[in-house]
Amino acid sequence: MLKKSASLDGEMRSSIYTRLYLISAIIVLLFVFLIIQIQIGVFSASRDVSSSLEIRQQSIMAILKVSGNQSISVNSTKVIDGASILSGATIVTPNQVGARVVLGSIATLDIAPNTTVEPEFDRNGAMKVTLTQGCVILRAGKDTEGEVVTSRGIAGKTNSSEDGPLEVCFPQGAWPGLGIEQNHDVGLFYFARLAAFEVIGGRLRTNLSVGLDERGSNPGPSSP
Amino acid sequence: MSFAAEKATPLLDEGREAGRSAFLPRFIGGVAVLAILPLAIWWAGRSGLVSLLTIYAAKTNQVAAADAALRLSPNDPDAHLVRGAILEANSVSAAVEEYKQAARVRPEDYLLWLSLARAQELNGDVGGAIAAASQGVRLAPYYARPHWLLGNILVRSGQAAEGFSELRLAGESDTGLLPAIIDLEWQLSGGDAEFVKRAIHPDSPESFKALADYFRKHGKANDAIEMFRAAGTAAEQERRQYLQELISAKSFKEAALLWSIDHAPPGIGQLNDPGFERPSNLDEPGFGWRRDNKAESLTLSLDTNNPREGRFSLRVDFNGVSDPGAAIISQLILVEPRAHYELRFAARTEGIVSGGLPYVVVFDAGSNNVLGQTSAFTKAKTDWQDYVIDFQGGESTSTVQLVLRRQPCSSSSCPVFGHLWLDNVSLQKL
C-alpha cells in the first residue's frame, strides 16, 4: 500500500508537473503570439500612416525667395520666403515686392514687382516661363533650355553657351528699379542683402525699443 | 560737559585718520575709472563703427565694408551675416561659411540658423540644410517660420510625410500660412482632398475653415461642406456666403446639404414653414422663405387677423413703386425629377390697384422654365380663396422655386397699392 501510494504520488506529481509545463508553454506561446501580433499591428499602422502621406509622384520643385517678411501670391494663395514652387504655378508679385524662383542649377528666375508669371520646368533641364505681365530675368544653367513666352509668342530664349540672362518685360516698358536689378550679378544679392539687412535692422529696433520685432523671445504655444 | 570735551578731541583725530585712510581707495577707484572710461569709449565706438560698417555694407552691397567691420570685430555675427549675403550672389559656398560663422558666434539666434539652412540647400547640401533648420526649430519651436522652412526643405528633399508634419505645425502657429500649405499638398497629391485632409489634420475652427475655403475654390463642394460643418459656429458667416454661391451656381443638392448644418434638412417635396407660423430671416439664402424685392414700398408681416389656418398668415402691403419682376417672396423646394406635383395655397386680397397684379408662379430652379402659375389675383376685396398649380418637372428638375411676384406693366413706372394675404401652402406629389 505504501509502495503503491508512493508510486501513485510520484505519478500524480509527474502528471501535475507535466500539466504545469504544458500550461506554462501555452502561456509563453500566447505571449509570443500576442507580442508578434502587436508588433505587426504597430508596424503596419506606422507604415499606413507614413505611406498615407507619400506623394503620388515625385515632383521637381523650385525654391521661392521673397525678401524679408513680405509675401506674394502663388496659385492665389499668400506665400512667404522658402516656399516650394511646382511646375505650372501661377506667381503674382504685388507692388514693391519682387521674388526669385531657384531651380537648383537648372535655372533662376527673378520676378519684378507687379508681375504675373507661370514657370514650367522639368527634370530634363527645360524651363518655359509664360509672362502675362511685368518683368522677369531668366538665367538658365548649362544644358538648360530656357524661354520666355508672352501672349505675342516667344519673347526670347536663353543662350546656354554664353550662360547669359534673358530679360523680358511685357508689355514693353521701363524696367522696374525696385525689387529686381538689371545687373546680372546682383539679382540674388538683392534678396539676400535685404534679408540680412532686415535681420540687423530688427536687432537695432529691438535694442532701441522702437518697435516690436520678430526675433524676440520665443512665444509660448498659446501666443505664437 | 567735561566728559564730552574730553571725548571730543580723540574723536576728531580719529575722523581725520579715517578720512585719510578713505582717500586712497577713492583715489585708486578714480584712477581706475579714468583708465576704464577710455576703454569703454573705445569699445562703444568700435561697436558703433562695426554696426555702421555692417549696415553700410548691407545697404551698398560692398563686401569691403563688411570686411572692414570684421577686421574691427572678427566675431561680429551681423558682419558675418551681411558678408555672407553679399557673397551669396557669386558663391553660395562662401556664403554658407559666413553664415556658419555667424551661427557659431550667436548660436541662440534661430534666424541665423534659418539663413544658413537656406544657403545650404541652395548649395546642394540638403542634409546640412535640414540640420540647420532643425536647430532653428529647436530654438524657436512656437514660431511658424522655422517649421515652415524645415517643412519645405523636407518636402523638396522627398521626405513628404516629415515635411507635412512640420508644415502642419507652421500652420498651427500662423494660420495665414495654411492656404499655402494646403495648396502645396493639393498640388503634390494631384488634387486629392482626402490626402490634404490627412496631411493637415485639422483640429481648430481656423484650420477647418482654411480647408473648407480651399475646397470651395477648387470645386470640391462635399469636402468643403464637411469642413464647414466641422468648423462649427465659427464658420456661420462663411457657410451663408457659400450657400449663396451654391444656389447661384444652381448646385441645389450641395446647397441643401450645407443648409442642413444650421437648419432642419429640406426634404423632397417639403415646404419650410408652409403656414407662415414663425418669424424668419427673409434675407437668408437657402430653403426658407426669402424676399428678393427690397423696395421700401413693400411690407411683409405675419398677420394674426383672420388667418386661414394656424395663428398667422403672410400679409403683403403694397404702397407704391416696386420692380414687378422681382420676387416678393419665394422658396426653393427640392422635388423628384419628372414627378407630378400639386401646389395648393390660400390667398385673399383687399383694394389692390396696379397695372401689374400679383400672382404665384412655379419655376424649374435649374432652367428657370415656368412649370405652372396662377392667374393674377383679383383687385376686389375677397375672402380666402384656394388656388392650385399642377406642375411636372423634367428629367433634370431637382428643385423648383415657388414665387409670388407681379405681372409686368406696360409703363416703366409700375406702382401697386393694396393688401394681399397668403396662407396654408402645401405641396403634394400626385
Side-chain angles (χ1 to χ4, degrees), chain B residues 117-133:
Chain B
R118 284 191 200 98
Q120 281 180 312
E121 191 190 16
L122 288 171
N123 201 33
D125 180 7
V126 177
I130 291 170

Side-chain angles (χ1 to χ4, degrees), chain B residues 24-155:
Chain B
L24 194 61
R26 280 188 200 153
F27 176 76
I28 292 167
V31 169
V33 166
L34 284 173
I36 289 167
L37 201 61
L39 281 172
I41 291 168
W42 179 83
W43 183 84
R46 192 192 66 156
S47 295
L49 191 60
V50 167
S51 289
L52 191 70
L53 284 166
T54 305
I55 291 169
Y56 181 74
K59 272 191 167 178
T60 59
N61 185 27
Q62 288 188 21
V63 75
D67 288 340
L70 284 170
R71 272 196 297 277
L72 281 169
S73 179
N75 283 329
D76 188 277
D78 292 336
H80 280 295
L81 178 70
V82 169
R83 190 166 191 273
I86 295 169
L87 293 176
E88 202 175 315
N90 295 316
S91 172
V92 182
S93 56
V96 166
E97 289 308 312
E98 290 298 329
Y99 293 143
K100 276 182 181 172
Q101 288 282 330
R104 185 185 56 77
V105 176
R106 199 194 293 142
E108 75 282 1
D109 191 335
Y110 79 96
L111 277 178
L112 296 179
W113 288 103
L114 298 189
S115 296
L116 176 61
R118 284 191 200 98
Q120 281 180 312
E121 191 190 16
L122 288 171
N123 201 33
D125 180 7
V126 177
I130 291 170
S134 300
Q135 180 61 16
V137 166
R138 273 190 289 276
L139 290 168
Y142 301 118
Y143 275 143
R145 284 209 174 216
H147 290 294
W148 165 262
L149 186 66
L150 177 59
N152 273 289
I153 294 172
L154 285 167
V155 169

